[in-house]
Amino acid sequence: MLKQTEGSRAVAETVAYCRPEVIAAYPISPQTHIVEELSRLVKPGALGPCEYVNVESEFAAMSMCVGASAAGARACTATASQGPLYMVQALYNASGPGLPIVMTVANRAIGAPISIWNDHSDTLSRRDSGWIQLYARDNQEAADLHPQAFRLAEELSLPVMVCMDGFVLTHAWERIEVPEQAQIDAFLPP
């Protein structure tokens, strides 16, 4: 169904339809709306069974996903900018054993001084970390890539990043066709 929505919220809704069992969340702009929306869905039980864990850092978010995925849970997180750099050790802990984790990255410049400009250096600097990287051209593609990311991750036993332009896409409102639950259930195994 087509609806006018913010890119981050369309991604969060699509991720929720993928039925994650563990979401590790550390807010960092511009991906904060993604984990906020997922939190809103988990809290009343609309997304269950799912454990939403507020962690103290990006490193902890990825470490939580590594542990959850190693135990057999469908795990995901989101990050941006310095986040993939701070979690670099845990990124290898995910790719080395082939854990099927999905991470949304709202691409933002790596800064000193701090920058909120859009830039892909946060993920391109992680190019050789053993993660599949998918880059969305627009918000429709950002939403559509998430079910594909979970399926790729689980079929190939590799972690997958879905990258979308920070602010340019994450905060843009567009008409987006968010897949329906039945479509994603037919596409993704339980």
Side-chain angles (χ1 to χ4, degrees):
M1 170 175 72
L2 274 173
K3 64 182 187 177
Q4 188 78 12
T5 189
E6 183 188 47
S8 291
R9 298 198 192 286
V11 164
E13 189 175 337
T14 304
V15 166
Y17 289 153
C18 293
R19 300 185 190 275
E21 296 163 300
V22 174
I23 299 168
Y26 184 79
I28 179 173
S29 291
Q31 70 78 15
T32 305
H33 293 172
I34 297 169
V35 294
E36 284 175 347
E37 182 68 12
L38 285 166
S39 170
R40 193 184 65 72
L41 294 168
V42 170
K43 188 174 181 179
L47 178 57
C50 182
E51 191 73 29
Y52 183 93
V53 184
N54 283 316
V55 295
E56 71 278 2
S57 69
E58 287 91 350
F59 181 84
M62 186 50 59
S63 295
M64 174 70 67
C65 287
V66 165
S69 184
R74 185 174 279 166
C76 65
T77 188
T79 192
S81 186
Q82 307 295 107
L85 302 181
Y86 186 42
M87 66 172 62
V88 70
Q89 178 183 348
L91 291 178
Y92 288 93
N93 292 342
S95 62
L99 298 175
I101 298 165
V102 172
M103 176 170 61
T104 307
V105 181
N107 293 113
R108 191 186 98 197
I110 296 169
I114 193 165
S115 173
I116 62 167
W117 293 105
N118 178 256
D119 185 318
H120 294 150
S121 57
D122 52 359
T123 50
L124 290 177
S125 66
R126 305 285 56 94
R127 183 196 66 188
D128 297 326
S129 64
W131 282 65
I132 295 171
Q133 296 186 6
L134 307 173
Y135 287 82
R137 162 184 62 208
D138 54 36
N139 280 326
Q140 183 64 63
E141 197 166 84
D144 292 345
L145 283 173
H146 281 81
Q148 295 174 55
F150 280 101
R151 185 152 177 187
L152 280 170
E154 291 167 8
E155 285 189 13
L156 301 175
S157 291
L158 286 171
V160 178
M161 291 180 199
V162 178
C163 307
M164 62 189 295
D165 289 347
F167 298 109
V168 174
L169 295 181
T170 58
H171 288 58
W173 285 73
E174 299 178 30
R175 287 176 50 96
I176 301 170
E177 186 171 347
V178 175
E180 295 178 14
Q181 185 69 67
Q183 292 173 301
I184 293 179
D185 286 345
F187 181 73
L188 280 178

